[in-house]
Amino acid sequence: MDAEIISVGTEIVLGQIVNTNAPFLARQLGTLGITADRQLAIPDRQELMVASIRTAWQRSPLVFVCGGLGPTADDVTLAAVAQALGVKLTVDSDHWRWIQGTFAQRHQPMMPENIQQAKCLTGGEPLANSVGLALGSWYEHDGHRLVVLPGPPREFVPMVTGEVMPRLAKIVGQRVQITSRTLNFFGRSESQLMDEIADVTADLSGVMITSYVQPDAIQVRMTVRNQPRAAANHLLDTAQARIVKEEAPYFFGVGDDCRLAAVVVDQLRDRGWRLTAAESLTGGMFQSTICSVPGASNVFDGGFVTYAARAKEELLGIDHQVIAEHGVVSAQTAAQMAERSRQRLGVQVGLGFTGVAGPDSLEGQPAGTVWVGLAISGQPTTTRLLHLGAYRGRQAVRQWSVQAGLQMLYRALQK
Amino acid sequence: MDAEIISVGTEIVLGQIVNTNAPFLARQLGTLGITADRQLAIPDRQELMVASIRTAWQRSPLVFVCGGLGPTADDVTLAAVAQALGVKLTVDSDHWRWIQGTFAQRHQPMMPENIQQAKCLTGGEPLANSVGLALGSWYEHDGHRLVVLPGPPREFVPMVTGEVMPRLAKIVGQRVQITSRTLNFFGRSESQLMDEIADVTADLSGVMITSYVQPDAIQVRMTVRNQPRAAANHLLDTAQARIVKEEAPYFFGVGDDCRLAAVVVDQLRDRGWRLTAAESLTGGMFQSTICSVPGASNVFDGGFVTYAARAKEELLGIDHQVIAEHGVVSAQTAAQMAERSRQRLGVQVGLGFTGVAGPDSLEGQPAGTVWVGLAISGQPTTTRLLHLGAYRGRQAVRQWSVQAGLQMLYRALQK
């Protein structure tokens, strides 16, 4: 099936923001064998929107209109869609009550225009928004389908995966059988990873393999088309076994939503272990990442941010001598941070992070030089030296340090 | 002048790469007062390209066709443009000699198809490529202009700035003067903020005002067109003064890159103050946000993550009695976390964060209920109760708590 995507937003058209929704949707559609051959971005000017939507609606069996569902005066998407299709808008009274309740819970006054966000196309089906106020809309007529989606990516993404994809899968279900599986890796360059994967899967021509770089992982998606489920899964099992064998040190889990922090929290909980950390360059980001996992309290009580040498000595009791002799960016300091934090909290696992986030160098070490220490009760403390690409900036160095620490712990938990 | 941008590439349409060329070009055009109201992405299928280019060429005075100038079989952009416009292609013999020389110098064999990259539209003007092999093309007929540009951003960007913009500037004559300024707010809903701003700027018709929601701020951009710089700035000053007066509690700075954490770090440094924190639900995110600012070491040594009640008591010495009597999610606990962390580090400012990140409720308090405490040396400790929209998820509740803490401190520093 061919599709068209219309992205609405003056800030997109002026180049003030980069449109990431359309490529995300296109990748999702691709897994169902649907190609969006025309992808248009236009400003939120109603007459231009009406003309563009009408053309797409007449021409294509599936049209997406994305953005412009907010409560302000320049959010005219629903009105434009209604005009283009010649249908009216209705207030979804359940959703309107929910919006009112939400404002009450937040002790915020309602604006009269917030009722906009409870509207959807008459004769259509509202699409639930799990993280925002505005409803999406799904409308069908005469073999044509039009889907209205919100603009903010954090609302757009879950509505696509949670509401749109299941409906589309039902529609194309009989036509194209798509079986896919995502493998997650960290710590390898994308080109190297994909080269090596291509080598070990060269003879598996039925498996299409694509990669997608996330801030905290490289996701490798394997897709098999037009095969019965059992045969497809057998093919995916074969490919997965070869890939995981080749890339064992970098692999950490299966699934689109698999996150290394969540895997580590699960494995610690299964062992009945708790962890803590002492963080210098990461400044609390490791512990915050652990706390981003629901149920973190099963494995984490608290820990330390020791940014300055003074805090390392005062809060953790790091030997002044160690810092004076080896520097704060050293294996010795990282190891002591891990050990002392573990001892102070009386838990099984402690991590220490120290390094140069940049932009400036420190103690003669260039930005991107990072030591991670890992202390586990009853085991010798280990350390790892990272040379991260500082040209990507301070935040990336800190994020990769956190992921490298999670990876060290993950590997230790496999033993 | 209105323009259209057509981006060609199957990898764009499949979502395998994000199109950054179109927003770059749009921003460049904006400085000349040119708006690209239709921005289309299509795959490199010749018949679809011909149809799309022909429609744009008939409709608009300025059309850009970007990508598909390589030497391989799927690079059919020039052929499609030639067909749509009804013109032929010519080999630019100077450029062809230069390509041949380049291959010789690199000791690389020439491919016969490399001659594609020396072609341009007959009757048009070749555009020099400073970093790649393919020529661009500039073609004019009957008041319409069509510009062909290469796809790789490292070739695209210099061709736009070096070849296209000077030609367009001559055509548009005087550069249309665009003067804009961004104001940053936190803690107000977008709809409420924009309603109130519309009220106080209703008579300033020369100022266009748009809003854009960032995870940590609402950015309000004011734009004035076609006014001499001094007059435009006077208008922006007037608008800014009224808006900031109306929204004083929520305003924190001017500029696209203005971040509340950086503003707070600057102001603390100016006073010679240092800060620390004790974090429960935020789990280190506040301190990590402070450390994301280069130069954070001027105001921050370290602090505490006290996720469990046990850590609050052991690391900070929070009275067991206080937690037992008031609960961990209480003004009293938040205040003691702020005070004790401040005292332990011996610094001027301490913050305490405690609350319910969700998804579950805690101590009978719903997810989204958060207390922030602020202790400043020599001042009475203050606390603030937040009711955050828990429907947005655990991460958003934690992020907003961090921003609310920064805002509390920012306001205290204004006094």
Side-chain angles (χ1 to χ4, degrees):
Chain A
M1 188 176 0
D2 280 348
E4 304 199 21
I5 301 173
I6 300 175
S7 302
V8 176
T10 301
E11 67 282 7
I12 293 174
V13 164
L14 294 180
Q16 290 166 353
I17 64 168
V18 172
N19 182 3
T20 56
N21 285 344
F24 174 80
L25 178 56
R27 284 194 301 274
Q28 291 286 315
L29 295 176
T31 64
L32 295 174
I34 300 171
T35 309
D37 262 353
R38 287 188 175 88
Q39 300 180 13
L40 182 68
I42 49 175
D44 30 32
R45 281 211 328 261
Q46 193 160 343
E47 84 287 1
L48 178 55
M49 290 166 67
V50 170
S52 304
I53 293 165
R54 195 171 279 154
T55 304
W57 172 250
Q58 284 161 0
R59 182 168 58 191
S60 295
L62 179 59
V63 177
F64 295 89
V65 183
C66 315
L69 298 186
T72 66
D74 57 356
D75 293 306
V76 294
T77 294
L78 265 188
V81 169
Q83 191 182 338
L85 270 56
V87 301
K88 294 213 177 308
L89 296 175
T90 334
V91 171
D92 182 298
S93 54
D94 284 351
H95 190 62
W96 178 224
R97 266 193 300 278
W98 179 82
I99 291 180
Q100 290 169 309
T102 298
F103 274 82
Q105 179 249 318
R106 287 153 71 195
H107 300 256
Q108 278 190 5
M110 287 277 305
M111 296 287 118
E113 52 268 39
N114 279 106
I115 200 168
Q116 296 301 338
Q117 301 185 291
K119 287 188 179 168
C120 64
L121 296 168
T122 309
E125 201 181 334
L127 299 178
N129 188 335
S130 58
V131 289
L133 295 182
L135 285 177
S137 286
W138 175 282
Y139 184 80
E140 300 193 9
H141 184 73
D142 219 4
H144 290 244
R145 294 179 178 88
L146 186 138
V147 185
V148 183
L149 296 166
R154 53 187 305 281
E155 301 180 24
F156 182 87
V157 168
M159 199 180 286
V160 168
T161 54
E163 298 286 320
V164 176
M165 291 298 289
R167 283 174 174 81
L168 287 176
K170 262 190 216 154
I171 293 163
V172 297
Q174 291 80 342
R175 248 174 32 110
V176 187
Q177 181 89 323
I178 302 272
T179 314
S180 70
R181 194 180 298 173
T182 299
L183 308 178
N184 294 275
F185 300 87
F186 178 77
R188 197 89 171 136
S189 85
E190 184 190 16
S191 54
Q192 211 169 347
L193 186 70
M194 290 302 281
D195 274 1
E196 291 161 358
I197 287 176
D199 284 348
V200 298
T201 58
D203 58 320
L204 301 176
S205 58
V207 187
M208 190 181 81
I209 298 180
T210 56
S211 59
Y212 180 46
V213 179
Q214 301 271 16
D216 56 357
I218 296 173
Q219 296 197 311
V220 172
R221 184 191 290 262
M222 310 182 296
T223 304
V224 175
R225 289 183 178 218
N226 286 321
Q227 294 255 12
R229 190 70 68 188
N233 274 325
H234 180 71
L235 208 48
L236 292 179
D237 289 344
T238 307
Q240 176 176 339
R242 292 193 199 166
I243 292 170
V244 169
K245 187 178 170 210
E246 179 72 18
E247 304 293 339
Y250 313 104
F251 172 73
F252 66 83
V254 178
D256 278 341
D257 298 330
C258 176
R259 289 284 169 271
L260 185 48
V263 172
V264 165
V265 166
D266 272 0
Q267 297 189 342
L268 288 169
R269 193 190 43 212
D270 289 348
R271 290 193 182 214
W273 283 10
R274 306 182 80 76
L275 89 164
T276 186
E279 304 186 55
S280 184
L281 86 155
T282 49
M285 195 188 276
F286 175 81
Q287 294 168 82
S288 179
T289 303
I290 292 292
C291 293
S292 72
V293 181
S297 59
N298 292 308
V299 304
F300 178 70
D301 292 327
F304 305 88
V305 180
T306 54
Y307 201 60
R310 172 174 99 82
K312 293 177 183 70
E313 295 174 24
E314 289 177 17
L315 299 185
L316 291 175
I318 304 286
D319 301 338
H320 182 74
Q321 191 62 22
V322 164
I323 295 180
E325 217 169 280
H326 303 282
V328 286
V329 184
S330 65
Q332 289 81 357
T333 301
Q336 274 215 356
M337 288 169 72
E339 287 163 4
R340 295 290 163 90
S341 63
R342 191 188 79 69
Q343 288 155 9
R344 297 242 155 168
L345 267 289
V347 293
Q348 289 79 7
V349 179
L351 285 100
F353 294 85
T354 181
V356 194
D360 301 326
S361 60
L362 181 66
E363 297 178 345
Q365 313 247 34
T369 309
V370 177
W371 281 98
V372 184
L374 172 63
I376 298 181
S377 175
Q379 298 183 17
T381 297
T382 54
T383 57
R384 187 173 158 201
L385 174 61
L386 311 172
H387 298 288
L388 302 172
Y391 67 94
R392 292 191 189 241
R394 181 178 173 87
Q395 285 308 93
V397 166
R398 298 171 67 228
Q399 266 174 13
W400 282 342
S401 301
V402 166
Q403 294 302 319
L406 287 170
Q407 191 178 42
M408 253 176 107
L409 177 52
Y410 173 79
R411 288 180 190 167
L413 292 171
Q414 306 321 298
K415 284 170 193 161
Chain B
M1 191 177 1
D2 280 348
E4 303 198 22
I5 301 173
I6 299 174
S7 302
V8 176
T10 300
E11 67 282 10
I12 292 175
V13 164
L14 294 181
Q16 291 166 351
I17 64 169
V18 172
N19 182 2
T20 56
N21 286 344
F24 174 80
L25 178 56
R27 285 193 301 274
Q28 291 287 314
L29 295 176
T31 64
L32 295 173
I34 300 171
T35 310
D37 263 354
R38 286 186 175 90
Q39 300 180 15
L40 182 68
I42 49 175
D44 28 32
R45 281 211 329 261
Q46 192 159 341
E47 84 288 0
L48 178 56
M49 291 167 68
V50 171
S52 304
I53 294 165
R54 195 172 278 155
T55 303
W57 172 251
Q58 284 161 0
R59 181 168 59 191
S60 295
L62 179 60
V63 177
F64 295 89
V65 183
C66 315
L69 299 186
T72 67
D74 57 355
D75 292 306
V76 293
T77 295
L78 266 187
V81 170
Q83 190 183 337
L85 270 55
V87 301
K88 295 213 175 309
L89 296 175
T90 335
V91 171
D92 183 297
S93 53
D94 284 353
H95 190 63
W96 179 223
R97 266 194 302 278
W98 177 83
I99 289 180
Q100 290 169 307
T102 298
F103 274 84
Q105 180 246 315
R106 287 154 72 196
H107 299 265
Q108 279 190 3
M110 285 278 304
M111 297 287 124
E113 52 266 38
N114 279 108
I115 199 168
Q116 297 301 337
Q117 301 185 290
K119 288 187 179 170
C120 66
L121 297 168
T122 309
E125 203 181 334
L127 299 177
N129 188 334
S130 58
V131 288
L133 296 182
L135 286 176
S137 286
W138 175 283
Y139 184 80
E140 299 194 10
H141 184 74
D142 220 3
H144 290 244
R145 295 177 178 88
L146 186 138
V147 184
V148 183
L149 297 167
R154 56 188 298 279
E155 302 179 25
F156 181 87
V157 168
M159 199 180 285
V160 168
T161 53
E163 298 285 320
V164 175
M165 290 298 288
R167 284 173 173 80
L168 286 176
K170 263 190 217 154
I171 293 163
V172 179
Q174 237 120 322
R175 285 193 163 226
V176 175
Q177 193 86 315
I178 303 268
T179 315
S180 70
R181 195 181 295 172
T182 299
L183 308 179
N184 294 277
F185 300 86
F186 178 78
R188 198 85 170 141
S189 82
E190 184 192 14
S191 53
Q192 211 170 349
L193 186 70
M194 290 302 281
D195 273 2
E196 291 161 358
I197 288 176
D199 284 347
V200 298
T201 58
D203 59 321
L204 300 175
S205 57
V207 186
M208 191 181 82
I209 299 180
T210 56
S211 58
Y212 180 47
V213 179
Q214 302 271 16
D216 57 356
I218 296 173
Q219 296 198 310
V220 172
R221 184 190 293 258
M222 309 182 294
T223 305
V224 176
R225 287 184 176 221
N226 288 317
Q227 294 257 10
R229 188 73 69 187
N233 274 324
H234 180 71
L235 207 49
L236 291 178
D237 290 344
T238 307
Q240 177 176 339
R242 292 193 199 166
I243 293 170
V244 170
K245 187 179 168 208
E246 180 71 19
E247 303 294 337
Y250 312 104
F251 172 74
F252 65 83
V254 177
D256 278 341
D257 300 328
C258 176
R259 290 285 169 273
L260 184 50
V263 172
V264 165
V265 166
D266 273 1
Q267 296 190 344
L268 288 169
R269 193 190 44 212
D270 290 348
R271 291 195 181 212
W273 283 10
R274 306 181 80 75
L275 90 162
T276 186
E279 304 187 55
S280 184
L281 86 154
T282 49
M285 195 188 274
F286 176 81
Q287 294 169 82
S288 179
T289 303
I290 292 292
C291 292
S292 72
V293 180
S297 58
N298 292 307
V299 304
F300 178 70
D301 292 325
F304 305 88
V305 180
T306 55
Y307 201 61
R310 170 173 100 83
K312 293 178 182 68
E313 294 174 23
E314 287 177 18
L315 299 185
L316 291 174
I318 302 286
D319 302 337
H320 182 73
Q321 191 63 21
V322 164
I323 295 180
E325 215 168 281
H326 303 284
V328 286
V329 183
S330 64
Q332 289 80 359
T333 301
Q336 273 214 357
M337 289 169 72
E339 286 163 4
R340 295 291 162 90
S341 63
R342 192 189 78 69
Q343 288 157 8
R344 299 243 155 165
L345 268 288
V347 294
Q348 289 80 8
V349 179
L351 284 100
F353 294 84
T354 181
V356 193
D360 301 326
S361 60
L362 182 67
E363 298 178 344
Q365 314 246 34
T369 310
V370 178
W371 281 97
V372 184
L374 173 61
I376 298 181
S377 173
Q379 299 183 16
T381 297
T382 54
T383 56
R384 188 173 158 201
L385 172 62
L386 310 173
H387 298 286
L388 302 173
Y391 67 93
R392 292 193 186 240
R394 183 177 172 86
Q395 286 307 91
V397 166
R398 299 171 68 229
Q399 267 175 13
W400 282 342
S401 302
V402 167
Q403 295 300 320
L406 287 170
Q407 190 179 45
M408 251 177 109
L409 177 52
Y410 173 77
R411 287 180 190 166
L413 291 170
Q414 307 318 299
K415 283 171 191 158

